[in-house]
Amino acid sequence: MTAKILDGKKTASQIRQGLKEEIAKLQKKPSLKVILIGDNPSSLIYVKNKNKYASEVGIKSEVIHLPPSITENKLIEQINKLNNDKNVNGILVQLPLPKHINEFNVINSISPEKDVDGFTIQNKGLLSIGTPQLLPCTPYGIMELLKRYKIKVAGKHAVVIGRSNIVGKPMAQLLLNNDATITICHSKTRNLKNITKTADILISAVGKQNLIKGNFIKPGAIVIDVAMIRDEKNKKWSGDTDFKAISKKAKYITPVPGGIGPMTVAMLLKNTLTAYKLQNKC
Ligand code: GUN
């Protein structure tokens, strides 16, 4: 079997086109503020991409670049100003934050209606009881990619590797809300291979090159690779999975790059439009 590619790049482009058409019909443009603290090289690239694609679909987007020395109080003050600004629909604080700033305090100072990352306790709570409002972008993008390829998750065994608040946990919850049977694996999991071999859908979000080898996969499985690891020596990106070996066994596989990365950005834009609608009750 040769796996078919789940083309996130193409799908994200179709989603952006749909958003562009919908936004063009609005009287006022949705507005997104992206807060970046410091000069983390990966964060700089991610933020530049988010800003570029937001502008492309007609979202008024601005990056607020703050020095790494900013205090937690000053940062929260800045977020409060954006919370109270009627002309701002979406607020995103790029993670990770400098060590002296408490991530929980900062994230939860964002108004839940403007939380386009879906990271506040309010949005996490709504997801966990099955009535989500704004969903974390990466898990949302994965569900959307599966949906557009007509891959059903109900009744399937989905194995999620990674238990982060950004990807692993909300991913498991979304799959559960859609009637999959879930196993979550993490750094303390024993016999990872024995578990992944039982997965109908395998989602890996670890950040460890070659963690998932060909013999970790059940024939015909759907394999989603969330990781983005930069190999500076070969000037290439890779994920957690051995793409070549798994391509021979899986039914579907996501490439890195061009898989989940573009879907995450597309869902951020979709969330910004959703936030606009929530605030304008339309
Ligand atoms: N850092 C890595 N991924 C993300 C994300 O999805 N949102 C934010 N805000 N920061 C991140």
Side-chain angles (χ1 to χ4, degrees):
M1 182 182 287
T2 308
K4 292 185 203 129
I5 300 287
L6 293 170
D7 189 339
K9 195 173 166 191
K10 190 176 88 189
T11 309
S13 161
Q14 290 163 352
I15 293 170
R16 291 199 306 271
Q17 185 56 35
L19 291 172
K20 192 173 174 176
E21 286 163 19
E22 199 177 339
I23 289 168
K25 291 182 198 140
L26 299 174
Q27 283 185 340
K28 207 171 145 204
K29 278 185 178 182
S31 145
L32 171 68
K33 301 284 181 187
V34 179
I35 301 177
L36 172 65
I37 298 122
D39 294 305
N40 177 311
S42 299
S43 292
L44 280 168
I45 297 172
Y46 293 147
V47 162
K48 212 173 119 193
N49 252 334
K50 289 172 181 178
N51 192 43
K52 176 184 145 198
Y53 286 116
S55 305
E56 208 181 282
V57 301
I59 291 171
K60 196 164 161 265
S61 170
E62 188 198 354
V63 178
I64 301 173
H65 199 165
L66 300 170
S69 57
I70 191 166
T71 65
E72 187 177 311
N73 281 345
K74 281 266 174 254
L75 176 58
I76 292 176
E77 225 173 76
Q78 178 93 302
I79 292 170
N80 276 333
K81 269 193 208 144
L82 300 174
N83 284 338
N84 294 326
D85 185 343
K86 279 204 179 69
N87 293 316
V88 174
N89 303 114
I91 304 167
L92 179 152
V93 178
Q94 187 65 28
L95 304 176
L97 296 174
K99 283 200 172 59
H100 66 279
I101 298 177
N102 182 302
E103 185 180 298
F104 178 90
N105 293 342
V106 170
I107 293 300
N108 286 295
S109 72
I110 299 172
S111 157
E113 284 207 337
K114 298 191 179 187
D115 168 29
V116 285
D117 258 330
F119 289 170
T120 56
I121 49 176
Q122 164 118 346
N123 282 318
K124 294 272 190 170
L126 287 170
L127 168 62
S128 85
I129 59 166
T131 56
Q133 179 177 258
L134 289 162
L135 287 166
C137 303
T138 300
Y140 190 14
I142 291 170
M143 294 307 288
E144 193 62 31
L145 191 61
L146 293 172
K147 195 166 128 193
R148 287 181 181 238
Y149 278 84
K150 302 197 178 355
I151 296 167
K152 297 253 185 320
V153 303
K156 301 243 174 87
H157 181 210
V159 174
V160 179
I161 313 175
R163 54 176 156 177
S164 72
N165 288 325
I166 295 180
V167 183
K169 281 188 227 164
M171 185 75 248
Q173 264 167 343
L174 257 181
L175 288 160
L176 184 60
N177 291 353
N178 285 277
D179 301 325
T181 301
I182 313 297
T183 303
I184 306 176
C185 300
H186 47 77
S187 52
K188 301 287 189 294
T189 295
R190 295 184 190 150
N191 299 320
L192 180 65
K193 183 170 79 170
N194 287 351
I195 300 170
T196 60
K197 273 165 71 177
T198 68
D200 301 311
I201 301 173
L202 179 64
I203 299 179
S204 189
V206 177
K208 196 168 168 191
Q209 217 169 352
N210 263 325
L211 174 70
I212 311 298
K213 302 174 182 67
N215 61 353
F216 279 46
I217 304 295
K218 175 161 96 172
I222 291 143
V223 180
I224 309 272
D225 194 337
V226 182
M228 283 279 281
I229 307 149
R230 184 69 179 163
D231 178 350
E232 278 305 338
K233 212 170 101 199
N234 297 309
K235 299 263 173 267
K236 273 170 80 171
W237 291 97
S238 79
D240 291 336
T241 57
D242 179 345
F243 184 86
K244 216 166 146 188
I246 293 171
S247 291
K248 293 187 186 128
K249 284 182 96 175
K251 186 169 181 193
Y252 284 103
I253 189 167
T254 57
V256 178
I260 301 310
M263 290 300 294
T264 297
V265 180
M267 301 329 274
L268 167 68
L269 310 179
K270 192 168 166 68
N271 275 349
T272 305
L273 179 58
T274 303
Y276 172 97
K277 289 177 182 170
L278 279 171
Q279 290 149 42
N280 291 286
K281 312 214 173 351
C282 60

